[in-house]
């Protein structure tokens, strides 16, 4: 991966990924008359996560690259787990990521009538039958990869009887699970998916779109290839686990004489310290391990957004990790690298003290206040400057002072001079302690008026520069700091390890209720992003209101990815 980043810096035009190579070849052969049409097919049973973002970027990005189209299609074939809330969040997330399906929003449920007709067509060809085995019995008859399955005793029903029974199933004459419609393929196939798979099951449940019209619902494997075919999808991009299902999709389409999309499988995205299973993410939400789907610690797109991620950084990440045919796990530090890269360019710099320690400047006049000039973004000169107030009583970071510092501590300590950013040099004269606890609660310092702006006329040097805020001008705010949700690299990992929840990091959220921020932040709105100098990147949380401002730390400044790279480079030498 070290290589990947270095390559990018040298040649921004990367070579085509294997999917694009397939498409290039298809275009050369004028397959589908040069038409490129992809789709993103989420099941509305949860919120989208960073893995879905990869698929979204791939599908919409491919369409864009080739001047083609990409549909958004909800794969809503399972009524019991699907909800409108998910449809809404999914459309919001895709839009936020920067993609547009224009007027091509579809639902698999739009095709239920068509699918039913197709099923009847297969029955008439003698290629599908109604089976009375229970789900349990179907499983028992199925065999194993090495042992052939057994034919269902209902496999040789007449076409007439099958048509009648299937019609009765649709009319609701049987209870849930009493019968299924199965494809008649080959119970001895080495591919288990081909052993007479179930096409329809009986489920007396309301559907979020079709209501009570249906009490039989198509299985995913029956429905998915048909949906692609009906929409004329040319390249049906999906994750590797569907590779073994492709022969089945092809079989259905061949028997029906329907249009074939070309399915192409790629490896799903896995990230360190992250789980991607919707079932597990739902469990975290339902059992209250996190505060909802959009908790800033969640790998969901809504969580990342609330945390302060930019859509650009996610798109860059998805683009640069590329697509592969083999499963792998990507270091989450790489995602953070793209985040920092983007935030560094766009975030205005401000000063905010997270763990305040009061500082009194003894020789500064009691009532005086002055406004000093600060640079808004050194990466972007057009961002200009702003004025920040200075006065006798300030706050600095508690961790920037030590009474008995170790050798390499260059920040404030009794008798030492340091720079206050954009302000003055100050020297600590005294530390006041809480008599009971011994905790340092206040510092006394003197300032040198000749160092205004942060430079000494005699060129004398100080070893550190601290951020600060003026106490009487400061805004009090709550700041939420986040750490990884899991303690281990691969929490979903080994099935043997057992429950992933035991790897939850107990201190993934720290709330600092009383932070002091420079007054320019008073106008910050929900979604605004800043760099708090020395402390990281922050954004305004939606919990923020007129009474109380709330900020999330998106990420610290320290770039672990860069460090890892340096270390690797050193080891390679
Ligand atoms: P499930 O089907 O088990 O509910 P899912 O994560 O596959 O979970 P879908 O809604 O079916 O959820 O996913 C929509 C699309 O996103 C699918 O095409 C799927 O292949 C793709 N996708 C899901 N997870 C990842 C991932 N980690 N990396 C890349 N693509 C993914
Ligand atoms: Mg899926």
């Amino acid at each position: 991966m070290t290589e990947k980043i270095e390559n990018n810096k040298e040649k921004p035009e990367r070579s085509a990924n294997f999917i694009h190579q397939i498409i290039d070849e298809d275009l050369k052969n004028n397959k589908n008359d040069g038409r490129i049409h992809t789709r993103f097919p989420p099941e509305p049973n949860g919120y989208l996560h960073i893995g879905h973002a990869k698929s979204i970027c791939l599908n919409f990005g491919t369409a864009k690259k080739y001047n083609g189209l990409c549909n958004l299609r909800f794969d809503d074939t399972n009524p019991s787990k699907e909800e409108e809330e998910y449809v809404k969040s999914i459309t919001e997330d895709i839009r936020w990521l920067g993609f547009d399906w224009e007027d091509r929003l579809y639902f698999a449920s739009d095709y239920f009538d068509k699918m039913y007709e197709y099923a009847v067509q297969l029955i008439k060809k003698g290629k599908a039958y109604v089976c009375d085995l229970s789900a349990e019995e179907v499983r028992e008859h199925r065999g194993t990869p090495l042992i052939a399955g057994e034919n269902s005793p209902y496999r040789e029903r007449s076409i007439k009887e099958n048509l009648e029974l299937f019609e009765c199933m649709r009319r609701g004459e049987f209870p849930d699970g009493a019968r299924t419609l199965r494809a008649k393929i080959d119970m001895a196939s080495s591919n288990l998916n081909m052993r007479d798979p179930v096409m329809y099951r009986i489920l007396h449940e309301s559907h979020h779109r079709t209501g009570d019209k249906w009490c039989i619902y198509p299985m995913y494997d029956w429905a998915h290839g048909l949906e692609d075919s009906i929409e004329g999808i040319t390249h049906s991009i999906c994750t590797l686990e569907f590779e073994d299902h492709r022969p089945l999709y092809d079989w259905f389409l061949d028997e029906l004489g329907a249009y074939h999309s070309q399915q192409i499988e790629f490896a799903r995205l896995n990230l360190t310290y992250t789980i991607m299973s919707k079932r597990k993410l739902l469990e975290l939400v339902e059992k209250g391990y996190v505060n909802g789907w959009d908790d800033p610690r969640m790998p969901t797109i809504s969580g990342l957004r609330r945390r302060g991620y930019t859509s650009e950084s996610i798109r860059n990440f998805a683009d640069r990790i590329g697509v592969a045919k083999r499963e792998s796990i990507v270091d989450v530090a790489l995602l953070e690298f793209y985040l920092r890269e983007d935030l560094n360019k766009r975030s205005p710099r401000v000063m905010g003290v997270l763990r305040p320690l009061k500082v009194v400047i003894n020789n500064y006049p009691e009532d005086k206040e002055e406004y000093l000039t600060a640079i808004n973004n050194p990466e972007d000169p057009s961002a200009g400057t702003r004025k920040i107030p200075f006065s006798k009583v300030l706050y600095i970071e508690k961790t920037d002072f030590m009474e008995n510092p170790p050798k390499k501590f260059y920040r404030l300590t009794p008798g030492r001079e340091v720079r206050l950013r954009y302000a003055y040099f100050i020297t600590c004269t005294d530390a006041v302690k809480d008599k009971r606890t011994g905790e340092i609660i206040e510092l006394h310092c003197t300032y040198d008026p000749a160092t205004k702006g942060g430079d000494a006329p005699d060129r004398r040097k100080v070893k550190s520069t601290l951020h600060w805020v003026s106490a009487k001008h400061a805004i009090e705010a709550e700041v939420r700091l986040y750490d990884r949700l899991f303690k281990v690299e691969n929490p979903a990992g080994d099935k043997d390890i057992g429950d992933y929840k035991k790897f939850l990091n107990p201190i993934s959220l720290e709330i600092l209720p009383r932070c002091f921020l420079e007054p320019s932040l008073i106008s910050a709105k929900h979604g605004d992003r800043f760099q708090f100098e020395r402390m990281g990147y922050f954004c305004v949380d939606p919990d923020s209101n007129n009474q109380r401002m709330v900020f999330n730390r998106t990420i610290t400044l320290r770039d672990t990815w860069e460090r890892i790279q340096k270390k690797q480079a050193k080891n390679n030498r």
Side-chain angles (χ1 to χ4, degrees):
M1 263 182 250
T2 314
E3 263 171 28
K4 207 177 266 171
I5 289 182
E6 285 165 2
N7 281 347
N8 287 338
K9 280 190 180 146
E10 281 158 27
K11 48 171 194 179
E13 269 304 309
R14 291 177 323 127
S15 60
N17 67 45
F18 80 93
I19 295 178
H20 293 166
Q21 282 166 3
I22 294 173
I23 294 179
D24 288 337
E25 197 56 34
D26 289 347
L27 284 173
K28 227 185 278 164
N29 300 325
N30 201 34
K31 195 173 166 187
N32 298 303
D33 303 322
R35 211 166 47 81
I36 303 297
H37 202 151
T38 58
R39 86 290 176 257
F40 176 66
E43 190 183 332
N45 62 352
Y47 279 57
L48 296 179
H49 54 57
I50 181 77
H52 295 117
K54 173 171 176 174
S55 177
I56 292 166
C57 293
L58 184 57
N59 279 295
F60 281 93
T62 298
K64 195 164 178 190
K65 175 177 159 109
Y66 290 97
N67 249 324
L69 302 172
C70 181
N71 295 356
L72 170 58
R73 180 207 311 141
F74 285 99
D75 220 322
D76 56 351
T77 50
N78 182 359
S80 41
K81 290 189 194 151
E82 293 159 1
E83 286 177 31
E84 273 313 307
E85 177 197 349
Y86 299 132
V87 171
K88 189 164 162 274
S89 76
I90 289 170
T91 51
E92 248 171 48
D93 288 349
I94 301 174
R95 281 226 175 80
W96 178 77
L97 276 175
F99 297 107
D100 186 4
W101 52 90
E102 296 167 332
D103 57 352
R104 294 177 311 281
L105 168 63
Y106 301 112
F107 290 83
S109 53
D110 295 342
Y111 311 137
F112 281 176
D113 284 299
K114 184 88 189 150
M115 290 174 189
Y116 184 81
E117 278 169 37
Y118 274 141
V120 170
Q121 207 176 311
L122 284 192
I123 298 174
K124 284 182 177 161
K125 271 186 91 177
K127 298 292 182 179
Y129 61 97
V130 173
C131 179
D132 302 359
L133 295 180
S134 66
E136 179 74 38
E137 289 164 329
V138 168
R139 245 191 320 275
E140 284 164 14
H141 279 71
R142 205 160 176 232
T144 69
L146 296 176
I147 303 169
E150 264 176 77
N151 283 352
S152 159
Y154 306 97
R155 202 171 195 260
E156 301 308 328
R157 270 185 169 140
S158 70
I159 291 175
K160 184 164 172 284
E161 193 187 354
N162 279 320
L163 285 171
E164 279 165 15
L165 282 172
F166 188 47
E167 173 61 20
C168 294
M169 277 170 65
R170 188 184 66 86
R171 279 208 306 263
E173 293 180 16
F174 309 122
D176 285 3
R179 290 185 161 86
T180 55
L181 183 74
R182 298 177 68 181
K184 196 170 180 177
I185 309 180
D186 178 7
M187 288 304 292
S189 171
S190 57
N191 183 341
L192 284 144
N193 296 303
M194 302 296 272
R195 294 187 184 173
D196 291 10
V198 172
M199 295 161 60
Y200 276 93
R201 67 234 155 110
I202 302 172
L203 212 58
H204 291 266
E205 252 180 86
S206 281
H207 184 277
H208 75 124
R209 284 179 65 87
T210 56
D212 293 325
K213 178 172 175 190
W214 296 91
C215 62
I216 56 171
Y217 288 96
M219 300 299 288
Y220 183 89
D221 276 351
W222 161 240
H224 196 82
L226 296 182
E227 295 157 21
D228 283 341
S229 171
I230 292 168
E231 292 177 15
I233 299 304
T234 57
H235 298 83
S236 171
I237 302 170
C238 64
T239 39
L240 285 180
E241 69 271 24
F242 293 105
E243 199 163 13
D244 291 345
H245 299 239
R246 180 159 25 100
L248 174 58
Y249 302 166
D250 287 342
W251 186 90
F252 282 136
L253 297 171
D254 284 343
E255 293 298 336
L256 294 167
Y259 169 75
H260 265 251
S261 314
Q262 180 179 359
Q263 175 170 306
I264 309 172
E265 305 88 10
F266 72 101
R268 60 174 51 230
L269 169 67
N270 299 300
L271 268 187
T272 56
Y273 298 97
T274 309
I275 53 163
M276 273 327 170
S277 145
K278 279 199 256 181
R279 188 179 54 76
K280 289 175 185 161
L281 294 175
L282 177 66
E283 187 182 15
L284 292 179
V285 172
E286 284 187 335
K287 297 200 175 148
Y289 291 100
V290 294
N291 305 315
W293 284 100
D294 70 343
D295 186 302
R297 291 166 292 178
M298 289 282 272
T300 51
I301 297 178
S302 50
L304 296 171
R305 178 166 62 234
R306 184 164 182 180
R307 174 82 170 251
Y309 271 74
T310 60
S311 49
E312 283 82 348
S313 62
I314 296 174
R315 288 202 305 267
N316 280 341
F317 169 74
D319 201 35
R320 300 302 166 88
I321 52 175
V323 285
K325 263 287 185 194
R326 204 167 320 142
E327 287 283 348
S328 67
I329 180 157
V330 175
D331 196 325
V332 71
L334 185 60
L335 175 62
E336 293 167 350
F337 170 88
Y338 286 110
L339 175 64
R340 286 193 181 93
E341 184 187 61
D342 191 32
L343 290 176
N344 181 43
K345 276 183 293 191
R346 65 165 76 222
S347 311
R349 274 55 172 174
V350 293
M351 292 201 282
V353 174
L354 302 189
R355 293 178 173 85
L357 174 61
K358 191 171 162 187
V359 174
V360 179
I361 313 285
N362 285 342
N363 59 341
Y364 197 86
E366 195 74 44
D367 297 323
K368 186 172 169 179
E369 56 178 43
E370 55 189 317
Y371 281 79
L372 305 163
T373 304
I375 295 167
N376 285 335
N377 186 352
E379 299 287 318
D380 174 12
S382 74
T385 58
R386 70 186 183 289
K387 294 285 188 187
I388 42 175
F390 187 86
S391 65
K392 186 179 179 76
V393 182
L394 313 168
Y395 290 113
I396 65 165
E397 213 66 57
K398 225 176 223 161
T399 47
D400 280 339
F401 176 83
M402 275 183 101
E403 193 178 19
N404 300 301
K407 247 201 174 127
K408 291 219 164 142
F409 185 89
Y410 298 120
R411 290 165 277 163
L412 206 54
T413 185
R416 183 179 293 161
E417 187 171 52
V418 298
R419 175 189 293 111
L420 293 181
R421 179 87 155 145
Y422 300 124
Y424 293 101
F425 285 11
I426 59 166
T427 305
C428 179
T429 53
D430 192 20
V432 181
K433 287 182 189 167
D434 181 312
K435 284 206 184 72
R436 225 164 17 87
T437 62
E439 191 198 353
I440 292 163
I441 49 170
E442 185 176 310
L443 300 180
H444 286 263
C445 296
T446 56
Y447 86 116
D448 177 357
T451 56
K452 184 167 176 176
D455 280 310
D458 62 0
R459 301 246 170 101
R460 76 178 185 275
K461 296 264 186 282
V462 286
K463 277 203 166 146
S464 71
T465 301
L466 311 185
H467 63 276
W468 53 274
V469 292
S470 161
K472 74 172 171 206
H473 300 94
I475 305 169
E476 196 180 314
E478 174 180 318
V479 173
R480 299 172 185 169
L481 305 180
Y482 303 97
D483 195 357
R484 302 200 193 296
L485 190 52
F486 290 96
K487 291 180 292 187
V488 299
E489 272 203 5
N490 192 2
D494 242 314
K495 290 206 180 60
D496 306 337
I497 307 176
D499 189 0
Y500 72 98
K501 293 194 293 299
K502 72 174 181 232
F503 301 121
L504 279 165
N505 177 2
I507 43 170
S508 55
L509 168 64
E510 185 183 1
I511 297 180
L512 303 174
R514 207 166 158 257
C515 304
F516 291 105
L517 314 180
E518 67 166 72
S520 73
L521 283 165
I522 194 72
S523 53
K525 296 178 309 296
H526 169 210
D528 285 352
R529 302 182 178 88
F530 303 91
Q531 184 193 103
F532 289 8
E533 296 214 22
R534 300 173 68 225
M535 303 313 282
Y537 295 100
F538 294 75
C539 68
V540 181
D541 188 82
D543 283 347
S544 211
N545 58 38
N546 291 340
Q547 266 76 55
R548 179 159 192 73
M549 295 196 88
V550 181
F551 284 80
N552 293 320
R553 177 154 72 190
T554 307
I555 189 127
T556 56
L557 292 179
R558 191 196 51 207
D559 189 336
T560 49
W561 179 252
E562 226 149 44
R563 266 203 334 220
I564 291 167
Q565 271 193 289
K566 277 191 194 135
K567 213 161 89 189
Q568 269 175 0
K570 211 162 125 192
N571 290 346
N572 291 344
R573 248 184 264 133

